[in-house]
Amino acid sequence: NPKAARSGSCRKQPSRAGAVGGGGEALVCAGICPAPRLWLLGGLRNNPLLTPGRPLSPPIVALPAPCWDPAVTGGRISLLQRIYYLSLEFYMGRTLQNTMINLGLQNACDEAVYQLGLDMEELEEIEEDAGLGNGGLGRLAACFLDSMATLGLAAYGYGIRYEYGIFNQKIRDGWQVEEADDWLRHGNPWEKARPEYMLPVHFYGRVEHSATGAKWVDTQVVLALPYDTPVPGYMNNTVNTMRLWSARAPNDFNLRDFNVGDYIQAVLDRNLAENISRVLYPNDNFFEGKELRLKQEYFVVAATLQDIIRRFKASKFGSTDSVRTVFDSFPDQVAIQLNDTHPAMAIPELMRIFVDIEKLPWNKAWDITKRTFAYTNHTVLPEALERWPVDLVEKLLPRHLQIIYEINQRHLDHIASLFPNDVDRLRRMSLIEEGGTKRINMAHLCIVGSHAVNGVAKIHSEIVKTQVFEDFAALEPEKFQNKTNGITPRRWLLLCNPGLAELIAEKIGEDYVRDLSQLTKLHEFVDDDLFIREVAKVKQENKVKFALYLEKEYKVKINPSSMFDVHVKRIHEYKRQLMNCLHIITMYNRIRRDPAKVFVPRTVIIGGKAAPGYHMAKMIIKLINAVAHVVNNDPPMAPSLPLCPCVLLPVIPATDLSEQISTAGTEASGTGNMKFMLNGALTIGTMDGANVEMAEEAGEENLFIFGMRVEDVTELDREGYNAQKYYDQLPELKKAVDQIKSGFFSPKDPDLFKDVVNMLFHHDRFKVFADYEAYVKCQEKVSELYLNSKAWTKMVIRNIAAAGKFSSDRTIKEYARDIWHVEPSDLKIPPPNEPRDAVEDKTPNGTAA
């Protein structure tokens, strides 16, 4: 890694919190660790390298680090506003190595662990993966937390502490099998429970109206217990907080049943309350209207808003009142970002607090609410947009339904005044969808209740404005913005690919880690033969390392000299893993037809999880594995086309070709495309999502772009997509499809893939056949360039040099300035062992933790 990421001193320091394993000192991170078990102990607890039951002796050295105190760090940097990022998913992954990099302690920790006779890499592998997300949305939230801390913003992430995260995937006989992710079975050393901030959350009940207003009564109460996790910025001594809520039943939950003799059942029923935070829903880009899911969504926003208002009231910001009761300045000091529609119930909940509890007039409460919230849209797929049945909301949250109805009535009255007699417009813009089951359109609620709405790539934001929410954008065009997604370079380069990170640092210095736009300096070295060789060498070392890993873990041997062609993302029809599969079959047929011809050797790696209830996605996994079985067991194929089946692999640094082949207009942004680009992979892709901006930054000639554009897809929809036409016109496509249909890849069950074939011909919204020919021809260009190693590597360098835009630091700066109206800070907080006078002078009285 760059020296900045490996620096740090190692010295002993008394433990603030007592001994570990009976020793007199413990490994602590001064201020950052909630208890002395922070570092290593999560891995050491069941570490086979240690003698079972033996205390840690000699004591582990302690390392100085920043103070973890929001009132000291973020609160002192941004006095005017705190940012609250609400998300049902935070895909944090492992924390140890990322924290060492951000604190600049990696070398010191490596040395300390080495002195104990342990191996840091083995310890890092023992750490559980905090998989509290399904894919891009949850990982984006994690990258944003890293960037907000690095930019010195006073920011909090709020979500749910799921006991079971995204399922563990196993492949058995080619089928995906799900296993529970019991990631907390050994505890989580990075979190600290905060029972002093436990809060009640209400469900069910009824609403009483009186002269004093509405009152929600006879409710069922669930307690929300917060767990705090530190989020350190990169080398700036700022540590923000991610607060995740866990559901707890109150002590008297259903114990009235004890009076009628069913004490055991009453205790067992406590699980009903605590199930709220039991498991992450494993759906990605698909809405499943389950009561438990709605409970989760309200649970997190109800607890979070109580916490935000408590902190607002306790923070005086110059006020002489002991506790503030005036909310005029609330939007100036509180900014809440809704990560998709999942936390949308925060809008009626904040209105309920203001109107029913704080007794604000409706108009004033609505003005404050709108100025507080902003909404990020993450998908244009209709099946992914949340539409909750009115009957379910009425049962679970009766007061909130009344508030939503009132919001909708006032909203429609306004529309009717602007567009008299336009009944169809009223229907399109209503928060309530009529016809059949009445439903609440949560995206409409978010748009109406927020002051800013953003998409996550230029093309996606344009589709949001001109197609999905056209009426709303016409009404309030200034509300709609674009904020192209990004990734944190700390995890996705320094941690992920230390060899490449160090090579870049040698050429342009280490400042690029904080300012990724400096990667443009690499353009100066595109024709530098030495640098070209060094970049190619790093890539080859990563490929050899990956090949050894694959052989060790999965007993699969691959050729590190082959092109690594990688398609890693959630399995979904719109991501078109099927098109990749058809290309593999086509290559297989070409090699069989002409075995004497020299083909560019490829190792094709397809990885991803399918939602457990998504039949077609699971059939796609089975098909890919069936094709892999045939290809990998056909001797002529072995040197040319090994196909690694659907398993999740640490492959990004080793990838040569990144597959980003969704149908134009369906992928909101994608962030995997950015990760591959930054790590030196070339992209084959459609003009979809962030691919469009990647092509703008690097030049379209430096990506392998193919297929329909958005306007072509729209025109094809207008004409009517006819899959049969492409099947009849393209002999290679016909042969590949016929092989799937005839049972060539499933001889024991020839009809196994009939659902897949039927979908491709009759129900393919994503038009695989329409882009097949262009995709195959583009792949031929890929193979041709790969034969010229120097030209390939020069294109790689141009891509890395153009990746600077796709840092989440840039994204967060845009959110901060355009939506939250707060300026990022590069102020470095002094560490705990240095004077803080300069910073403390700027601290207001009464800042709240």
Side-chain angles (χ1 to χ4, degrees):
N1 287 1
K3 294 175 184 175
R6 305 284 300 187
S7 63
S9 59
C10 182
R11 62 184 177 84
K12 286 193 174 182
Q13 175 177 314
S15 167
R16 294 182 180 180
V20 174
E25 291 177 334
L27 181 69
V28 295
C29 228
I32 195 174
C33 90
R37 60 197 177 107
L38 173 68
W39 296 87
L40 307 184
L41 293 191
L44 292 178
R45 184 179 290 107
N46 293 307
N47 189 350
L49 300 174
L50 297 178
T51 304
R54 173 177 166 236
L56 299 181
S57 181
I60 305 175
V61 284
L63 301 166
C67 180
W68 178 28
D69 180 351
V72 173
T73 56
R76 294 185 174 184
I77 294 171
S78 179
L79 307 184
L80 295 180
Q81 190 162 49
R82 288 188 171 98
I83 315 302
Y84 297 99
Y85 197 81
L86 269 62
S87 179
L88 267 284
E89 300 181 22
F90 285 96
Y91 208 151
M92 301 300 289
R94 289 171 172 166
T95 299
L96 175 58
Q97 191 178 0
N98 193 76
T99 302
M100 290 190 296
I101 286 172
N102 278 12
L103 298 182
L105 296 175
Q106 200 164 10
N107 278 345
C109 288
D110 286 350
E111 178 62 26
V113 169
Y114 175 77
Q115 289 180 11
L116 286 171
L118 303 175
D119 184 282
M120 179 60 81
E121 286 193 11
E122 289 190 45
L123 292 176
E124 289 167 354
E125 285 301 311
I126 290 171
E127 182 180 5
E128 293 287 346
D129 203 315
L132 306 186
N134 279 289
L137 180 141
R139 183 53 233 173
L140 182 79
C143 285
F144 279 4
L145 292 185
D146 178 273
S147 287
M148 287 188 280
T150 297
L151 292 171
L153 295 171
Y156 300 76
Y158 275 96
I160 293 180
R161 181 182 178 266
Y162 300 106
E163 289 182 38
Y164 295 90
I166 184 64
F167 61 87
N168 292 320
Q169 180 195 55
K170 303 293 181 186
I171 302 295
R172 294 187 188 137
D173 192 29
W175 295 99
Q176 170 179 292
V177 177
E178 301 87 28
E179 293 183 353
D181 172 36
D182 190 9
W183 74 287
L184 290 171
R185 62 187 178 278
H186 300 307
N188 175 15
W190 299 101
E191 68 184 11
K192 177 174 175 56
R194 304 300 299 272
E196 66 272 28
Y197 294 122
M198 189 152 57
L199 294 165
V201 176
H202 299 262
F203 296 99
Y204 304 108
R206 57 188 176 83
V207 181
E208 290 181 349
H209 290 274
S210 66
T212 58
K215 192 173 183 182
W216 188 15
V217 297
D218 296 338
T219 58
Q220 184 183 106
V221 176
V222 176
L223 300 177
L225 173 64
Y227 285 79
D228 287 357
T229 299
V231 182
Y234 178 70
M235 301 294 288
N236 66 349
N237 292 331
T238 295
V239 187
N240 284 342
T241 299
M242 176 178 68
R243 177 163 287 181
L244 302 181
W245 301 100
S246 180
R248 295 288 186 270
N251 286 333
D252 62 349
F253 183 84
N254 274 2
L255 283 187
R256 59 183 178 276
D257 292 346
F258 176 54
N259 298 326
V260 295
D262 201 354
Y263 168 73
I264 298 297
Q265 189 58 47
V267 173
L268 293 177
D269 283 349
R270 292 171 60 88
N271 284 332
L272 298 175
E274 298 180 357
N275 281 341
I276 290 173
S277 59
R278 195 79 69 198
V279 63
L280 168 75
Y281 267 83
N283 294 318
D284 191 52
N285 283 300
F286 181 76
F287 169 60
E288 187 176 13
K290 303 286 190 181
E291 181 174 334
L292 178 59
R293 175 64 171 179
L294 182 56
K295 276 187 174 180
Q296 289 182 339
E297 293 183 358
Y298 178 67
F299 173 76
V300 68
V301 302
T304 298
L305 286 174
Q306 290 181 74
D307 211 37
I308 290 171
I309 288 173
R310 172 194 61 79
R311 192 176 290 114
F312 171 79
K313 287 184 173 182
S315 301
K316 299 179 195 174
F317 289 94
S319 169
T320 57
D321 298 335
S322 57
V323 175
R324 293 194 300 179
T325 56
V326 177
F327 289 91
D328 297 54
S329 63
F330 191 81
D332 299 322
Q333 293 164 15
V334 173
I336 302 176
Q337 190 71 36
L338 304 176
N339 193 26
D340 216 340
T341 57
H342 310 141
M345 291 304 296
I347 293 169
E349 171 66 4
L350 188 59
M351 284 297 292
R352 186 186 71 83
I353 292 170
F354 283 157
V355 173
D356 293 358
I357 299 174
E358 302 295 341
K359 303 302 181 184
L360 268 61
W362 179 278
N363 287 341
K364 183 173 184 178
W366 183 240
D367 176 65
I368 294 171
T369 296
K370 282 189 69 170
R371 289 165 53 210
T372 298
F373 286 108
Y375 159 55
T376 300
N377 174 274
H378 280 279
T379 183
V380 297
L381 298 179
E383 67 267 31
L385 296 174
E386 291 193 302
R387 295 174 166 91
W388 287 107
V390 165
D391 291 345
L392 176 59
V393 177
E394 186 174 33
K395 179 178 86 166
L396 195 66
L397 304 167
R399 178 57 181 146
H400 297 76
L401 181 63
Q402 293 178 353
I403 291 170
I404 291 169
Y405 274 148
E406 182 67 19
I407 293 170
N408 192 44
Q409 186 61 56
R410 292 171 182 247
H411 162 63
L412 293 181
D413 288 346
H414 176 59
I415 302 300
S417 69
L418 297 174
F419 304 96
N421 303 318
D422 193 343
V423 178
D424 197 49
R425 184 182 296 268
L426 292 177
R427 179 190 57 78
R428 294 195 308 267
M429 297 185 72
S430 175
L431 308 189
I432 310 298
E433 296 180 350
E434 307 285 349
T437 303
K438 289 176 68 174
R439 294 178 178 272
I440 302 169
N441 187 311
M442 303 308 280
H444 289 186
L445 174 61
C446 286
I447 293 169
V448 171
S450 299
H451 71 275
V453 177
N454 72 278
V456 290
K458 282 182 182 177
I459 186 173
H460 169 239
S461 297
E462 195 61 27
I463 291 170
V464 163
K465 284 194 294 184
T466 60
Q467 296 180 30
V468 185
F469 303 122
E470 180 182 6
D471 292 318
F472 292 93
L475 186 67
E476 298 178 285
E478 72 287 347
K479 180 182 281 191
F480 288 78
Q481 306 182 20
N482 173 60
K483 297 288 173 280
T484 299
N485 282 344
I487 58 174
T488 169
R490 271 73 64 182
R491 181 175 289 267
W492 294 110
L493 185 58
L494 269 66
L495 185 157
C496 182
N497 199 341
L500 181 59
E502 189 169 0
L503 179 59
I504 293 171
E506 288 172 3
K507 289 296 181 184
I508 66 172
E510 298 164 356
D511 290 345
Y512 78 90
V513 180
R514 274 205 191 90
D515 178 12
L516 205 62
S517 65
Q518 293 190 25
L519 288 179
T520 56
K521 296 177 182 177
L522 292 176
H523 282 299
E524 301 171 20
F525 304 99
V526 169
D527 296 313
D528 184 325
D529 287 344
L530 177 60
F531 187 61
I532 291 169
R533 288 196 299 272
E534 287 174 331
V535 169
K537 181 184 175 187
V538 167
K539 176 63 70 175
Q540 190 58 33
E541 288 171 351
N542 287 333
K543 290 170 72 173
V544 169
K545 183 177 179 181
F546 175 74
L548 292 172
Y549 169 87
L550 201 60
E551 183 174 2
K552 176 185 174 185
E553 296 294 327
Y554 296 97
K555 307 299 184 287
V556 175
K557 289 188 178 183
I558 59 174
N559 175 12
S561 298
S562 65
M563 180 202 304
F564 284 13
D565 176 350
V566 178
H567 197 173
V568 175
K569 45 187 78 253
R570 286 298 291 257
I571 308 296
H572 198 291
E573 290 164 75
Y574 87 87
K575 295 180 184 288
R576 298 204 293 192
Q577 285 92 353
L578 274 175
M579 190 160 68
N580 192 345
C581 191
L582 288 171
H583 172 247
I584 291 163
I585 297 170
T586 300
M587 291 177 69
Y588 171 73
N589 290 333
R590 288 180 179 182
I591 296 170
R592 292 178 81 215
R593 186 174 63 243
D594 192 358
K597 184 176 178 180
V598 177
F599 291 87
V600 174
R602 288 192 188 217
T603 298
V604 183
I605 300 166
I606 301 177
K609 296 180 180 181
Y614 189 176
H615 170 70
M616 188 54 63
K618 297 181 95 167
M619 289 305 303
I620 291 169
I621 288 178
K622 177 61 177 174
L623 174 61
I624 292 167
N625 282 293
V627 172
H629 179 75
V630 171
V631 170
N632 293 344
N633 288 286
D634 195 334
M637 302 300 123
S640 301
L641 189 66
L643 172 62
C644 298
C646 293
V647 289
L648 295 182
L649 305 164
V651 71
I652 290 176
T655 298
D656 291 308
L657 184 68
S658 162
E659 301 265 357
Q660 309 295 331
I661 60 177
S662 54
T663 311
T666 60
E667 185 74 85
S669 167
T671 50
N673 45 7
M674 304 168 187
K675 294 160 192 169
F676 284 107
M677 182 188 198
L678 183 60
N679 280 273
L682 298 185
T683 300
I684 182 168
T686 53
M687 277 300 210
D688 194 26
N691 293 357
V692 176
E693 288 158 84
M694 288 163 56
E696 288 176 1
E697 295 295 306
E700 194 171 328
E701 69 279 5
N702 290 307
L703 281 76
F704 298 101
I705 298 295
F706 72 93
M708 296 180 291
R709 282 16 183 202
V710 170
E711 54 271 22
D712 300 322
V713 175
T714 303
E715 181 60 29
L716 189 54
D717 282 331
R718 192 176 294 116
E719 293 173 0
Y721 169 60
N722 181 3
Q724 186 72 39
K725 180 181 75 171
Y726 300 95
Y727 173 82
D728 292 337
Q729 291 176 352
L730 302 170
E732 288 190 310
L733 172 62
K734 183 178 188 301
K735 182 170 183 179
V737 173
D738 286 349
Q739 286 171 304
I740 297 171
K741 185 163 53 173
S742 67
F744 181 86
F745 299 106
S746 55
K748 293 181 180 178
D749 186 357
D751 292 331
L752 180 60
F753 300 116
K754 69 177 188 302
D755 287 351
V756 176
V757 173
N758 183 58
M759 181 275 293
L760 285 170
F761 277 103
H762 305 294
H763 311 290
D764 183 11
R765 293 183 295 144
F766 307 108
K767 305 171 180 63
V768 168
F769 289 0
D771 271 342
Y772 165 84
E773 185 178 22
Y775 178 55
V776 171
K777 287 180 178 177
C778 193
Q779 288 281 16
E780 291 168 2
K781 295 179 184 176
V782 172
S783 296
E784 183 182 347
L785 184 67
Y786 193 75
L787 290 171
N788 186 338
S789 176
K790 184 174 181 179
W792 180 278
T793 307
K794 288 175 74 170
M795 192 180 285
V796 165
I797 295 168
R798 292 189 194 101
N799 271 265
I800 297 171
K805 174 180 179 176
F806 304 107
S807 168
S808 51
D809 296 347
R810 186 268 316 152
T811 311
I812 289 300
K813 285 178 184 176
E814 293 181 4
Y815 274 98
R817 290 166 182 165
D818 301 340
I819 295 178
W820 306 330
H821 306 301
V822 60
E823 198 65 27
S825 169
D826 57 3
L827 173 67
K828 182 174 180 177
I829 302 288
N833 56 331
E834 292 182 15
R836 301 185 180 213
D837 298 343
V839 178
E840 287 186 1
D841 288 344
K842 302 175 187 177
T843 305
N845 293 327
T847 50

